[in-house]
Amino acid sequence: MTKWVYTFGDGKAEGRAGDRNLLGGKGANLAEMCSLELPVPPGFTLTTEVCTAYYANHRSYPEGLNEQVAAAVTHIENLIGCKFGDPENPLLVSVRSGARASMPGMMDTVLNLGLNDRTVQGLAKKSGNERFAYDSYRRFIQMYSDVVLDVDHHHFEELLELKKADAGVEQDTELTAEQLKELVREYKEKVLQEHGQPFPDNVGNQLWGAIGAVLKSWMNPRAITYRKMYDIPESWGTAVNIQAMVFGNMGQDCATGVAFTRDPSTGEKLFFGEYLVNAQGEDVVAGIRTPQQITLEGKKRNGSDLPAMEEVMPVVYQELVKIYERLEQHYKDMQDIEFTVQNNKLWMLQTRTGKRTAKAALRIATDMVKEGLITKDVAVSRIDPAALDQLLHPMLDPNAPRELIANGLPASPGAAGGTVVFTAEEAEEAAAQKKKVVLVRIETSPEDIHGMHAAQGILTARGGMTSHAAVVARGMGKPCVCGAGGIQISYEKQEMRCGDRVIKRGDFITLNGATGEVFLGEVPTIQPELSGEFATVMSWADEIRRMNVRTNAETPEDCRTAVRFGAEGVGLCRTEHMFFDAERIIAVREMIVAETEQGRRKAINKVLPYQREDFVEIFRIMEDRPVTIRLLDPPLHEFLPRTEEDMKEVAEAAGVDIATVEHRAHQLKEENPMLGHRGCRLGISYPEIYEMQVRGILEAAILVSKELGRDVRPEIMVPLVMHRKELEILRALIEKTAEDVQKSESHKIPYLIGTMVELPRAALRAGEIAELAEFFSFGTNDLTQTTLGISRDDAGNFLEYYTQKGILEKDPFVTLDTEGVGELIQIAAERGRNTRDDLKLGICGEHGGNPASIDFCESVGLNYVSCSPYRVPVARLAAAQAALKYKQAASSAKTKAA
Amino acid sequence: MTKWVYTFGDGKAEGRAGDRNLLGGKGANLAEMCSLELPVPPGFTLTTEVCTAYYANHRSYPEGLNEQVAAAVTHIENLIGCKFGDPENPLLVSVRSGARASMPGMMDTVLNLGLNDRTVQGLAKKSGNERFAYDSYRRFIQMYSDVVLDVDHHHFEELLELKKADAGVEQDTELTAEQLKELVREYKEKVLQEHGQPFPDNVGNQLWGAIGAVLKSWMNPRAITYRKMYDIPESWGTAVNIQAMVFGNMGQDCATGVAFTRDPSTGEKLFFGEYLVNAQGEDVVAGIRTPQQITLEGKKRNGSDLPAMEEVMPVVYQELVKIYERLEQHYKDMQDIEFTVQNNKLWMLQTRTGKRTAKAALRIATDMVKEGLITKDVAVSRIDPAALDQLLHPMLDPNAPRELIANGLPASPGAAGGTVVFTAEEAEEAAAQKKKVVLVRIETSPEDIHGMHAAQGILTARGGMTSHAAVVARGMGKPCVCGAGGIQISYEKQEMRCGDRVIKRGDFITLNGATGEVFLGEVPTIQPELSGEFATVMSWADEIRRMNVRTNAETPEDCRTAVRFGAEGVGLCRTEHMFFDAERIIAVREMIVAETEQGRRKAINKVLPYQREDFVEIFRIMEDRPVTIRLLDPPLHEFLPRTEEDMKEVAEAAGVDIATVEHRAHQLKEENPMLGHRGCRLGISYPEIYEMQVRGILEAAILVSKELGRDVRPEIMVPLVMHRKELEILRALIEKTAEDVQKSESHKIPYLIGTMVELPRAALRAGEIAELAEFFSFGTNDLTQTTLGISRDDAGNFLEYYTQKGILEKDPFVTLDTEGVGELIQIAAERGRNTRDDLKLGICGEHGGNPASIDFCESVGLNYVSCSPYRVPVARLAAAQAALKYKQAASSAKTKAA
């Protein structure tokens, strides 16, 4: 028989802190505190497996659960010496959810369960406090009805307010027993009226109703949303904790409170919390009464004039201090605790690792290392890499007023304000005049890059987290809100509509790229400081990690940012954006419309000096760090003129008529450009383009190497290879060109030739492709698109359904699909290395900055990850954590084997 | 030391017929004939490995070749008793190419090599025939200069013509020795003038020049084109055969000829061939003189008045008959032989398996089985499945005159003539009036289907072998020429231009879908008869094959055709084309623009009766054969109206304004529709569509089952699955709908639920997907697109470069890429069957009718292949051949293991 129920109480427990997966966080920690002989009301935990079985089995309970719950109730009764449902000496219990990962407030709780018209009298008699008994009873009815019977709590709040008004009192503590009795009657009438059935008075029914409600709350919309936000799998399920009630609402020697063992926003080592006298736990959170500070220091800092617990209940306070110190020492981490004081006796109801800001996390981790509480490894593994983002971008002043006008996707973090412009050109002009603008587009294309660069931030109405705007903006570290579906942009009218509001060109807006919010007017921002703790933790991470961290960067500015953030090279320097510059684009277009190789050569050679200059600047910044440069990748039509005027310009430059340009544009149009004439297919059909690029790279590399007095390290990358022969042809072309340049410059330079692995066929044929490649870089954006058959540009129309229905737990363009795409990476890594021992393996898709994906990269032994400049610290930390994880896994496997 | 050279002569040979890969066809068969003690002039063969090494090593010869050739020349000298380059007693040789597969006339040959101003005199003296010696010399100079020195043969032909005119003779045999001597002088002057250097007189240089020329001819454009046409890999290389000359041009007791042991166009058992007296081999082919029949029967049948060899040289003729019978018995196949008679002595110069028409192949195979010469297995394995196409479609009368106006791709075989129309509507109208039309479009879309159906044939200016037009036309068995780049179509002017010629609407054209030719006017066609031999061979194939053969069909007509051709079920019934019918499309569009589920349901339910009726007709035809029906696959925007008028119509039908329709159309537009909102993604987001389809299928199945008195066998197929959960959701939907229908119809029907495997992720995750699928059908069109990252719509722009440069030897949309796509199929098959023993596996991409791909399907153990109706016999035969091949491979592996 499966063990569904674990009991705890009286210094003993069937579970322990390590059983979090089975008992949930709350249950495991209750058991642990019990074993530590801390004062914990006895109780028991229904395991998360109950929840899983419940959902697997069309919402019905597994066999044996009924009996095990009955036995566990008896266990409490025996320890407490009272009986569930007994009219003389009733046991009351709380029923609470408790998932593996903390999901505060997301799921449901019922307190004071076990009360009915008979037991309430027993409670009154036993406690000698009729008012307390009926206060508990009305609380129970309110909470139970809301949670289990779906009678909204506002009904009860209204009745309570009326009652207080009738009684002429302000606080609910001021209501008398008699008034509370009336309230109970009124509550029950309301339940009958709203629910259609009387409030259940059988305590067994009450208990199972509450258990069912907690299990159901795992699937409430709040919980689903929360899980999605924090990447918590639905399959984990929640545990249910049933525990004897202790009462903070029995009188003035009673209280309830929550506290953090250190300051969760700054990390300062300062006990910190709030409590309420004569109250139950929910009151603190609900904000019905103003909570009081626990410590005198807290009282001082908050300028509170309410008495602190430290002064009101000094003995209990001292006990609490001892307990929190014990807990922090025991758990070796900052704790978030809940307690209740019943008649001056302290009871611990919860302890858990406290949530904290990124800043606090860094401070706490470094402090605890100094205190000798944890090792550097532990400190590094404690910081959430994703949270670092908060620290790296300017942020909106949290205290400034603001007016929200739209919501989109948080595509690139940071805050940005400026006047609205609708074209890249205007953005650029404004920037030239030192004006701040926000570029607003329905969606962006490569032609908008210069405008995006010039703008403070980017707002688009269409496109997801990996749309062009999002990717480029993150690359630039530029705040961006994408896919704000609620706004309607009219380029013609030069305005956007957000609901009824019309924002005209020139109006000021502010974006919060970390939340996806758009505000009207200017919201002041503050520059985050990178604390010494940040540097310390990063240096520890650098000591630990095995993988290198490079950056995806193609402008000098990006490269400088990335180096500042610790990038050890460039993993992906795209070359196409360099083609869009106003001075160059005409020559590029001239090349595209040329009908002969000679014509193309003539045009493309005009681009050479620019391209060389680009590389020179990048090499100067990156010095002897490796720089992977990808040869031209996008389909040529992306460069083609769209407007009549542009077409004319190109026709003139190329010396052809406009019809030829139009014809060529039509010829190049593709049904599915993602699968079209792009990548190395361009290099095969127009070798002169790649030749020019290789020449630019080598000439620049030699020039800068001579300047530096040591060699820079270009790595030339061929995109979209699917067949060994493609690389054979292009490798020969690269080598020949490189040889020519080296000969004419009389300088040899070490360079590598490699390929992107971004097509399933390339992954499968990696063994033979590696014969010709010194490195593979996994282009996981494209590899995801082809492996899953999803265009990320078009995914918006259905991916939503997919996450809603739980088909995909995470957006595969954000978090690597390790089962599908991951297997191909693994296959490619193995086959590639079988051919070539020292094959260098890296990842340069968007996933290179995603911690879960970095974890995967470590697991398959890649040499480096590459990500946008602002993600570099995130990647350094995530790489260190992954290294720790797999080192531990390996050493524990060793232990097991031995 | 590698053995580069194999000798033969005097009843002995180092090689044999089985050494074709090493010695080429000609070399291997010369060796074999020698071993059979047939009269073969002695000689030697440079292996194909020489050719491979030559190209691998920048066109230089491998080490040791020089010495081995010298030794082999000595070998000939010893056998013949004369010496290469000896002025008194010169050895002359022929130098010929000889690839593994016969490539008639594609590569170069040099005869009479070893002649110069000195040896010619020796030859004259030795033969006592000065005229012959100089005739040989002038032939040698002409041939050698053309082949080796690049001096075009027309120069020599002109000089020869002049000489004959001067001499007042008509035949070159009438020129005297003296005149030939003059001609030799003139030839040599011409060489000096054109080549810039004198004709080489060193016989060693001559020999190596000829060897080099033969090797180089492997890469001449003719040879490359031929290889492409016949799927001969470039890597095979050619052998070079050097053989002592025998002379058919020594006088009236000399001759040269070619013959087939049976009639290559009808297969009739009739020795058949042509010869010329006093001539060399090339003369027969060149057509300078009218060749004579070898047999009296041939003379009679051809109405020739020239004497037959049977009467002129009866003794030699009898010897030839004995030899050809011996060869046919030995090789057990129809032979194509070449011989020379020198002074009444017969010499065999070549034997090879004779090329034949499909008709002849069937006749010969069945005859030889009757004669006891070969088994049924051998007979079946001898027929080229691809050639069957010739037999299945009406064909142009080969004897009718014709005027070629354009060339395109041979997209769908068969001949078709009609007046030109430019719209599907016109085609339909014309068909209603029983007029024959050819539908001419720049490219076709699903909206053109009805017009394609109504037309005799389809001609497009754009699109490849797997373009929409091509695929649909092949499916319909409708002749089609695609991608005729030379024509320019103006819909506006209702005309097409082919060069200077303007074809107006209403002009008559004729297509040859088997060659891609377009002719002006009507070229008469003939209906092929399916002979009894065809049925016989197909029945043998059916006994042998392991795999079932199904068809891709979606109309009753297609189904009927396929059943007639032996289809054992439907492997792919697309349902989207059913949506395009004029009556239905409005309801479909109404559904697409509906904003609510209710609105969609209302519209889609209008389609239900039509859809059910479609299935009813198909089930009636297919009876209890399995019918795999694919639920809706293409992105919704394909169904959307494009013209203003259509939009208006939809807006009215749906009761919305035209702006809503436009907006929705814009919303649905996709960057990469291939990777967009299609396949089961539609079923996930709009379950009501799939529900309607499943209802239609089940209702139809039950109706027809009741009619038939036995159950039809629907197999419901979910397209584009990438994740187990998609199928989980849709399987539940299908089962629920099926249950509803079965309940309300009170009839249970056995049906299967399965999925297309057409995304790499589906192949990789096949293990878990198979938990929910009773069958997999490999959608190799899409799987090729995603695995290789190539859109077949856009591949035209670069695939040409790819085949030119040898990156892809075959179009991966025609012949399965077994290395990449194939590995995924193999993985999916293995993992799927690990989960589910009896998982049914099939293929329904275009590859299902391609013999090489069918071979692959057999090798991985698929249960069936499915192809367009007209390919069904091809597939039956190819499946049988594959079964034979792998049975042999297995049994030979067993033998080896034993």
Side-chain angles (χ1 to χ4, degrees), chain A residues 671-672 674-675 681 684 725-726 761 787-789 791 794 802 806 817 823 831, chain B residues 671-675 681 725-726 761 787-789 791 794 802 806 817 823 831:
Chain A
E671 292 296 317
N672 293 284
M674 190 59 63
L675 308 176
R681 296 162 193 176
I684 297 284
K725 281 213 181 165
E726 294 171 320
R761 194 184 197 282
T787 306
L788 275 61
S791 150
D794 305 314
Y802 270 57
D817 160 41
E823 185 177 0
R831 295 185 182 177
Chain B
E671 291 296 317
N672 293 283
M674 191 59 63
L675 308 176
R681 296 162 194 174
K725 282 212 180 166
E726 293 171 322
R761 194 184 196 281
T787 306
L788 276 62
S791 150
D794 305 314
Y802 269 57
D817 160 41
E823 185 178 1
R831 295 184 182 178

Short mmCIF file of all heavy atoms in Angstrom, two decimals, chain A residues 671-672 674-675 681 684 725-726 761 787-789 791 794 802 806 817 823 831, chain B residues 671-675 681 725-726 761 787-789 791 794 802 806 817 823 831:
data_model
loop_
_atom_site.label_atom_id
_atom_site.label_comp_id
_atom_site.label_asym_id
_atom_site.label_seq_id
_atom_site.Cartn_x
_atom_site.Cartn_y
_atom_site.Cartn_z
N GLU A 671 8.45 31.91 -50.56
CA GLU A 671 7.29 31.47 -49.80
C GLU A 671 7.65 31.25 -48.34
O GLU A 671 6.90 31.58 -47.44
CB GLU A 671 6.76 30.13 -50.36
CG GLU A 671 6.15 30.21 -51.73
CD GLU A 671 4.91 31.07 -51.74
OE1 GLU A 671 4.09 30.94 -50.82
OE2 GLU A 671 4.78 31.89 -52.66
N ASN A 672 8.78 30.63 -48.14
CA ASN A 672 9.26 30.30 -46.80
C ASN A 672 10.73 30.67 -46.69
O ASN A 672 11.61 29.81 -46.77
CB ASN A 672 9.08 28.80 -46.52
CG ASN A 672 7.62 28.41 -46.43
OD1 ASN A 672 6.96 28.67 -45.44
ND2 ASN A 672 7.12 27.81 -47.51
N MET A 674 12.69 31.30 -44.46
CA MET A 674 13.49 30.61 -43.44
C MET A 674 14.13 29.35 -44.00
O MET A 674 15.18 28.93 -43.56
CB MET A 674 12.52 30.24 -42.30
CG MET A 674 13.17 29.74 -41.05
SD MET A 674 14.29 30.96 -40.38
CE MET A 674 13.14 32.29 -40.01
N LEU A 675 13.46 28.74 -44.98
CA LEU A 675 13.94 27.50 -45.57
C LEU A 675 14.41 27.76 -47.00
O LEU A 675 14.42 26.86 -47.83
CB LEU A 675 12.81 26.46 -45.58
CG LEU A 675 12.10 26.20 -44.25
CD1 LEU A 675 10.95 25.23 -44.44
CD2 LEU A 675 13.07 25.63 -43.22
N ARG A 681 24.02 28.65 -48.67
CA ARG A 681 23.49 28.52 -50.03
C ARG A 681 23.84 29.77 -50.84
O ARG A 681 24.03 29.70 -52.05
CB ARG A 681 21.97 28.32 -49.97
CG ARG A 681 21.63 27.01 -49.29
CD ARG A 681 20.21 26.93 -48.81
NE ARG A 681 20.08 25.77 -47.91
CZ ARG A 681 18.99 25.45 -47.25
NH1 ARG A 681 17.90 26.22 -47.36
NH2 ARG A 681 18.98 24.40 -46.45
N ILE A 684 27.44 29.42 -51.84
CA ILE A 684 27.61 28.46 -52.94
C ILE A 684 27.23 29.13 -54.27
O ILE A 684 27.92 28.99 -55.27
CB ILE A 684 26.72 27.21 -52.71
CG1 ILE A 684 27.13 26.46 -51.45
CG2 ILE A 684 26.73 26.31 -53.93
CD1 ILE A 684 28.36 25.62 -51.53
N LYS A 725 29.61 18.46 -48.36
CA LYS A 725 30.19 19.05 -49.57
C LYS A 725 30.08 20.57 -49.60
O LYS A 725 30.89 21.25 -50.23
CB LYS A 725 29.51 18.47 -50.81
CG LYS A 725 30.03 17.10 -51.15
CD LYS A 725 30.02 16.85 -52.65
CE LYS A 725 30.54 15.46 -52.93
NZ LYS A 725 30.24 15.02 -54.29
N GLU A 726 29.03 21.09 -48.98
CA GLU A 726 28.92 22.55 -48.92
C GLU A 726 30.16 23.11 -48.24
O GLU A 726 30.77 24.08 -48.71
CB GLU A 726 27.68 22.95 -48.11
CG GLU A 726 26.37 22.56 -48.76
CD GLU A 726 25.18 22.79 -47.85
OE1 GLU A 726 25.28 22.51 -46.63
OE2 GLU A 726 24.13 23.23 -48.35
N ARG A 761 19.72 17.84 -40.34
CA ARG A 761 20.63 17.01 -41.13
C ARG A 761 22.08 17.24 -40.74
O ARG A 761 22.89 16.32 -40.73
CB ARG A 761 20.44 17.28 -42.62
CG ARG A 761 21.10 16.22 -43.47
CD ARG A 761 21.01 16.51 -44.95
NE ARG A 761 21.28 15.33 -45.74
CZ ARG A 761 22.48 14.83 -45.97
NH1 ARG A 761 23.53 15.43 -45.46
NH2 ARG A 761 22.63 13.73 -46.70
N THR A 787 13.52 21.59 -36.17
CA THR A 787 13.24 20.34 -35.47
C THR A 787 11.78 20.26 -35.05
O THR A 787 11.16 19.21 -35.15
CB THR A 787 14.14 20.22 -34.22
OG1 THR A 787 15.50 20.36 -34.63
CG2 THR A 787 13.97 18.88 -33.54
N LEU A 788 11.25 21.39 -34.63
CA LEU A 788 9.85 21.41 -34.20
C LEU A 788 8.91 21.83 -35.32
O LEU A 788 7.70 21.76 -35.18
CB LEU A 788 9.67 22.37 -33.01
CG LEU A 788 9.97 21.81 -31.61
CD1 LEU A 788 11.41 21.36 -31.49
CD2 LEU A 788 9.65 22.84 -30.55
N GLY A 789 9.49 22.32 -36.42
CA GLY A 789 8.64 22.80 -37.51
C GLY A 789 7.84 24.03 -37.12
O GLY A 789 6.70 24.20 -37.52
N SER A 791 7.94 28.22 -37.04
CA SER A 791 8.56 29.50 -37.35
C SER A 791 8.32 30.42 -36.18
O SER A 791 7.19 30.63 -35.76
CB SER A 791 7.91 30.07 -38.60
OG SER A 791 7.93 31.48 -38.57
N ASP A 794 5.88 33.19 -36.64
CA ASP A 794 4.47 32.88 -36.79
C ASP A 794 3.89 32.13 -35.60
O ASP A 794 2.70 31.84 -35.55
CB ASP A 794 4.24 32.04 -38.06
CG ASP A 794 4.81 32.74 -39.28
OD1 ASP A 794 4.56 33.94 -39.42
OD2 ASP A 794 5.52 32.09 -40.07
N TYR A 802 -0.79 26.34 -26.94
CA TYR A 802 0.08 25.23 -26.55
C TYR A 802 0.50 25.31 -25.10
O TYR A 802 0.60 24.29 -24.43
CB TYR A 802 1.30 25.18 -27.49
CG TYR A 802 1.02 24.31 -28.69
CD1 TYR A 802 -0.06 24.58 -29.52
CD2 TYR A 802 1.78 23.18 -28.95
CE1 TYR A 802 -0.34 23.78 -30.59
CE2 TYR A 802 1.50 22.36 -30.02
CZ TYR A 802 0.44 22.66 -30.83
OH TYR A 802 0.16 21.84 -31.90
N GLY A 806 -0.92 23.04 -21.87
CA GLY A 806 0.15 22.26 -21.27
C GLY A 806 0.91 21.38 -22.24
O GLY A 806 1.58 20.43 -21.84
N ASP A 817 14.42 22.98 -25.96
CA ASP A 817 13.69 21.72 -25.93
C ASP A 817 14.72 20.60 -25.87
O ASP A 817 15.21 20.12 -26.87
CB ASP A 817 12.84 21.61 -27.20
CG ASP A 817 12.42 20.18 -27.51
OD1 ASP A 817 12.06 19.46 -26.57
OD2 ASP A 817 12.46 19.81 -28.69
N GLU A 823 18.44 16.33 -28.13
CA GLU A 823 19.00 15.05 -28.59
C GLU A 823 19.84 15.27 -29.85
O GLU A 823 20.89 14.65 -30.01
CB GLU A 823 17.91 14.01 -28.86
CG GLU A 823 18.55 12.67 -29.22
CD GLU A 823 17.58 11.52 -29.44
OE1 GLU A 823 16.37 11.70 -29.34
OE2 GLU A 823 18.10 10.42 -29.74
N ARG A 831 29.05 12.66 -32.44
CA ARG A 831 29.57 12.26 -33.75
C ARG A 831 30.70 13.18 -34.19
O ARG A 831 31.67 12.75 -34.79
CB ARG A 831 28.44 12.26 -34.77
CG ARG A 831 27.39 11.21 -34.45
CD ARG A 831 26.30 11.11 -35.51
NE ARG A 831 25.33 10.09 -35.08
CZ ARG A 831 24.23 9.78 -35.74
NH1 ARG A 831 23.94 10.39 -36.89
NH2 ARG A 831 23.40 8.85 -35.29
N GLU B 671 4.87 34.51 -42.19
CA GLU B 671 6.18 34.68 -42.81
C GLU B 671 6.64 33.37 -43.43
O GLU B 671 7.23 33.35 -44.50
CB GLU B 671 7.22 35.10 -41.75
CG GLU B 671 7.03 36.48 -41.19
CD GLU B 671 7.20 37.54 -42.25
OE1 GLU B 671 8.13 37.43 -43.05
OE2 GLU B 671 6.37 38.47 -42.28
N ASN B 672 6.44 32.30 -42.70
CA ASN B 672 6.89 30.98 -43.13
C ASN B 672 5.75 29.99 -42.91
O ASN B 672 5.77 29.24 -41.94
CB ASN B 672 8.13 30.55 -42.34
CG ASN B 672 9.33 31.40 -42.66
OD1 ASN B 672 9.95 31.23 -43.70
ND2 ASN B 672 9.65 32.33 -41.78
N PRO B 673 4.78 30.03 -43.79
CA PRO B 673 3.58 29.22 -43.54
C PRO B 673 3.88 27.74 -43.36
O PRO B 673 3.16 27.04 -42.65
CB PRO B 673 2.71 29.47 -44.78
CG PRO B 673 3.57 30.18 -45.77
CD PRO B 673 4.68 30.83 -45.02
N MET B 674 4.94 27.28 -43.98
CA MET B 674 5.31 25.87 -43.85
C MET B 674 5.55 25.50 -42.39
O MET B 674 5.36 24.37 -41.98
CB MET B 674 6.59 25.67 -44.66
CG MET B 674 7.00 24.26 -44.85
SD MET B 674 5.73 23.33 -45.69
CE MET B 674 5.70 24.20 -47.26
N LEU B 675 6.03 26.48 -41.63
CA LEU B 675 6.36 26.25 -40.22
C LEU B 675 5.35 26.97 -39.32
O LEU B 675 5.66 27.32 -38.19
CB LEU B 675 7.77 26.78 -39.93
CG LEU B 675 8.89 26.29 -40.84
CD1 LEU B 675 10.21 26.97 -40.47
CD2 LEU B 675 9.07 24.78 -40.72
N ARG B 681 -1.88 21.73 -35.27
CA ARG B 681 -1.99 23.00 -34.53
C ARG B 681 -3.36 23.62 -34.75
O ARG B 681 -3.89 24.30 -33.87
CB ARG B 681 -0.89 23.95 -34.99
CG ARG B 681 0.49 23.41 -34.64
CD ARG B 681 1.64 24.05 -35.42
NE ARG B 681 2.84 23.24 -35.24
CZ ARG B 681 3.98 23.44 -35.86
NH1 ARG B 681 4.09 24.43 -36.72
NH2 ARG B 681 5.01 22.65 -35.64
N LYS B 725 1.77 15.18 -26.36
CA LYS B 725 0.56 15.75 -25.80
C LYS B 725 -0.42 16.23 -26.86
O LYS B 725 -1.63 16.25 -26.63
CB LYS B 725 0.91 16.93 -24.88
CG LYS B 725 1.41 16.46 -23.54
CD LYS B 725 1.04 17.43 -22.44
CE LYS B 725 1.57 16.92 -21.11
NZ LYS B 725 1.52 17.95 -20.08
N GLU B 726 0.09 16.65 -28.00
CA GLU B 726 -0.81 17.05 -29.08
C GLU B 726 -1.72 15.87 -29.42
O GLU B 726 -2.93 16.01 -29.56
CB GLU B 726 -0.01 17.45 -30.32
CG GLU B 726 0.81 18.70 -30.14
CD GLU B 726 1.75 18.96 -31.32
OE1 GLU B 726 2.32 17.98 -31.86
OE2 GLU B 726 1.91 20.11 -31.70
N ARG B 761 11.37 16.34 -34.69
CA ARG B 761 11.08 16.06 -33.29
C ARG B 761 10.16 14.85 -33.14
O ARG B 761 10.30 14.05 -32.21
CB ARG B 761 10.45 17.27 -32.60
CG ARG B 761 10.47 17.15 -31.09
CD ARG B 761 9.75 18.29 -30.40
NE ARG B 761 10.10 18.35 -28.99
CZ ARG B 761 9.60 17.56 -28.05
NH1 ARG B 761 8.74 16.64 -28.38
NH2 ARG B 761 9.96 17.68 -26.80
N THR B 787 14.21 18.67 -42.21
CA THR B 787 15.50 18.07 -41.89
C THR B 787 16.63 18.78 -42.64
O THR B 787 17.70 19.02 -42.11
CB THR B 787 15.50 16.57 -42.24
OG1 THR B 787 14.40 15.96 -41.58
CG2 THR B 787 16.79 15.90 -41.80
N LEU B 788 16.34 19.13 -43.89
CA LEU B 788 17.36 19.80 -44.70
C LEU B 788 17.22 21.32 -44.64
O LEU B 788 18.09 22.04 -45.15
CB LEU B 788 17.27 19.35 -46.16
CG LEU B 788 17.99 18.06 -46.54
CD1 LEU B 788 17.43 16.85 -45.79
CD2 LEU B 788 17.91 17.81 -48.03
N GLY B 789 16.12 21.77 -44.07
CA GLY B 789 15.91 23.22 -44.03
C GLY B 789 15.70 23.81 -45.41
O GLY B 789 16.15 24.90 -45.71
N SER B 791 12.80 24.72 -48.31
CA SER B 791 11.42 24.82 -48.75
C SER B 791 11.38 24.40 -50.21
O SER B 791 12.10 24.94 -51.04
CB SER B 791 10.97 26.27 -48.61
OG SER B 791 10.00 26.58 -49.58
N ASP B 794 10.82 27.08 -52.73
CA ASP B 794 11.86 28.07 -52.97
C ASP B 794 13.17 27.47 -53.42
O ASP B 794 14.13 28.18 -53.71
CB ASP B 794 12.09 28.89 -51.69
CG ASP B 794 10.80 29.51 -51.17
OD1 ASP B 794 10.06 30.07 -52.00
OD2 ASP B 794 10.53 29.41 -49.99
N TYR B 802 23.32 23.36 -56.60
CA TYR B 802 23.68 22.23 -55.76
C TYR B 802 23.91 20.96 -56.57
O TYR B 802 24.79 20.18 -56.25
CB TYR B 802 22.61 22.02 -54.68
CG TYR B 802 22.94 22.80 -53.45
CD1 TYR B 802 23.12 24.19 -53.52
CD2 TYR B 802 23.13 22.19 -52.23
CE1 TYR B 802 23.46 24.91 -52.41
CE2 TYR B 802 23.47 22.91 -51.10
CZ TYR B 802 23.63 24.26 -51.19
OH TYR B 802 23.98 24.98 -50.09
N GLY B 806 27.56 19.19 -57.55
CA GLY B 806 27.67 17.84 -57.00
C GLY B 806 27.44 17.77 -55.50
O GLY B 806 27.83 16.80 -54.85
N ASP B 817 16.54 11.42 -49.18
CA ASP B 817 17.88 11.59 -48.62
C ASP B 817 18.03 10.56 -47.50
O ASP B 817 17.65 10.80 -46.36
CB ASP B 817 18.00 13.02 -48.08
CG ASP B 817 19.12 13.18 -47.06
OD1 ASP B 817 20.20 12.59 -47.29
OD2 ASP B 817 18.90 13.87 -46.05
N GLU B 823 17.80 8.51 -41.77
CA GLU B 823 18.16 8.14 -40.40
C GLU B 823 17.02 8.46 -39.43
O GLU B 823 16.73 7.69 -38.51
CB GLU B 823 19.45 8.81 -39.93
CG GLU B 823 19.83 8.28 -38.55
CD GLU B 823 21.12 8.82 -37.96
OE1 GLU B 823 21.79 9.65 -38.61
OE2 GLU B 823 21.46 8.39 -36.84
N ARG B 831 12.12 3.26 -32.56
CA ARG B 831 11.58 3.70 -31.27
C ARG B 831 10.08 3.45 -31.20
O ARG B 831 9.55 3.07 -30.16
CB ARG B 831 11.89 5.18 -31.05
CG ARG B 831 13.38 5.42 -30.92
CD ARG B 831 13.73 6.87 -30.61
NE ARG B 831 15.19 7.00 -30.55
CZ ARG B 831 15.83 8.12 -30.34
NH1 ARG B 831 15.15 9.25 -30.14
NH2 ARG B 831 17.15 8.15 -30.31
#
